[in-house]
């Protein structure tokens, strides 16, 4: 990994890419999303301050654990401009992301545990499908992988019809 002399306070996009391990195109993308910033020289070349190295490392670490770029951008916007994120910044932000990551882990575990059922079915037409209907919102009324879009009035009408069907079925018993 190339070392950048201390006396150099700004980096070219190539230097930032080489030092951070991120592709130049990724750095341009991060900049377009407001994750890092640069200034332009008179020759219209990008120059990044040294703190961009830590910000890129911060972005890449957050991405590896599944944090969306918009959330990363919001987190970085809380920091003063041209300030390198510190270990304390990372600890504070990662603590805030912990519950979101715990929920994702729970969803992935549920997916893993029920994936075999859906593979063996092939058409996702199980009465209760955790892939197409993860919270089983419609499982009492519908089967299959399609979820119907209902208007509020239709929902009330559907519930009423279902109650009537259930009452009729109970009377037949």
């Amino acid at each position: 990994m190339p070392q950048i002399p201390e006396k150099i306070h700004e980096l070219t996009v190539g230097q930032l890419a080489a030092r951070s391990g991120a592709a130049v195109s990724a750095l341009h993308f991060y900049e377009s999303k407001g994750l890092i910033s640069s200034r332009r020289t008179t020759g219209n070349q990008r120059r990044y301050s040294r703190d961009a190295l830590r910000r890129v490392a911060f972005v890449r670490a957050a991405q590896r654990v599944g944090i969306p770029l918009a959330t990363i951008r919001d987190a970085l916007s809380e920091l003063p401009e041209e300030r390198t994120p510190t270990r304390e910044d990372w600890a504070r932000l990662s603590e805030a992301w912990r519950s979101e990551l715990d929920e994702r882990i729970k969803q992935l575990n549920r997916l893993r545990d029920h994936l075999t059922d859906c593979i063996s079915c092939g058409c996702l037409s199980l009465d209760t499908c955790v892939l197409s209907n993860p919270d089983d919102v419609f499982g009492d009324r519908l089967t299959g992988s399609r979820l119907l879009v209902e208007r509020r009035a239709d929902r009330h009408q559907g519930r009423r019809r279902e109650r009537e069907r259930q009452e009729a079925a109970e009377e037949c018993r």
Side-chain angles (χ1 to χ4, degrees):
M1 187 173 308
Q3 294 296 316
I4 299 167
E6 289 285 328
K7 63 183 179 180
I8 296 177
H9 297 289
E10 290 186 319
L11 309 172
T12 65
V13 70
Q15 290 170 320
L16 182 58
R19 186 76 173 95
S20 69
V24 169
S25 60
L27 296 174
H28 290 169
F29 178 74
Y30 292 163
E31 189 172 357
S32 74
K33 296 299 180 186
L35 299 165
I36 59 174
S37 61
S38 67
R39 74 169 185 86
R40 297 293 183 134
T41 67
T42 55
N44 201 30
Q45 296 176 336
R46 291 179 169 94
R47 293 292 184 264
Y48 297 90
S49 60
R50 288 183 72 92
D51 72 290
L53 279 169
R54 180 75 55 91
R55 287 179 179 259
V56 170
F58 185 93
V59 169
R60 295 183 74 190
Q63 281 185 297
R64 275 194 294 276
V65 296
I67 304 299
L69 287 179
T71 304
I72 298 168
R73 182 184 59 239
D74 293 344
L76 287 172
S77 71
E78 294 177 14
L79 302 176
E81 278 296 310
E82 298 194 20
R83 181 177 142 234
T84 302
T86 63
R87 183 180 305 265
E88 292 78 24
D89 293 327
W90 178 254
R92 180 175 42 83
L93 294 169
S94 65
E95 182 61 33
W97 295 335
R98 182 176 291 279
S99 64
E100 181 181 336
L101 292 173
D102 287 342
E103 182 58 33
R104 284 194 195 155
I105 290 168
K106 192 169 108 180
Q107 289 172 349
L108 286 170
N109 283 332
R110 187 171 60 217
L111 173 64
R112 179 203 60 213
D113 294 344
H114 295 284
L115 190 59
T116 304
D117 295 337
C118 290
I119 290 172
S120 66
C121 168
C123 66
L124 299 177
S125 64
L126 298 172
D127 290 341
T128 304
C129 182
V130 296
L131 292 179
S132 62
N133 190 9
D135 296 319
D136 198 21
V137 176
F138 297 107
D140 294 334
R141 296 180 290 133
L142 301 172
T143 60
S145 61
R146 292 185 305 255
L147 297 180
L148 300 177
V149 178
E150 299 177 330
R151 284 182 269 157
R152 194 173 278 221
D154 292 342
R155 268 187 257 148
H156 293 298
Q157 188 176 22
R159 287 182 192 140
R160 188 178 67 238
R161 279 191 219 131
E162 183 63 30
R163 269 184 260 135
E164 291 170 359
R165 276 189 233 132
Q166 287 175 354
E167 289 170 3
E170 286 176 14
E171 288 176 7
C172 292
R173 288 182 195 162

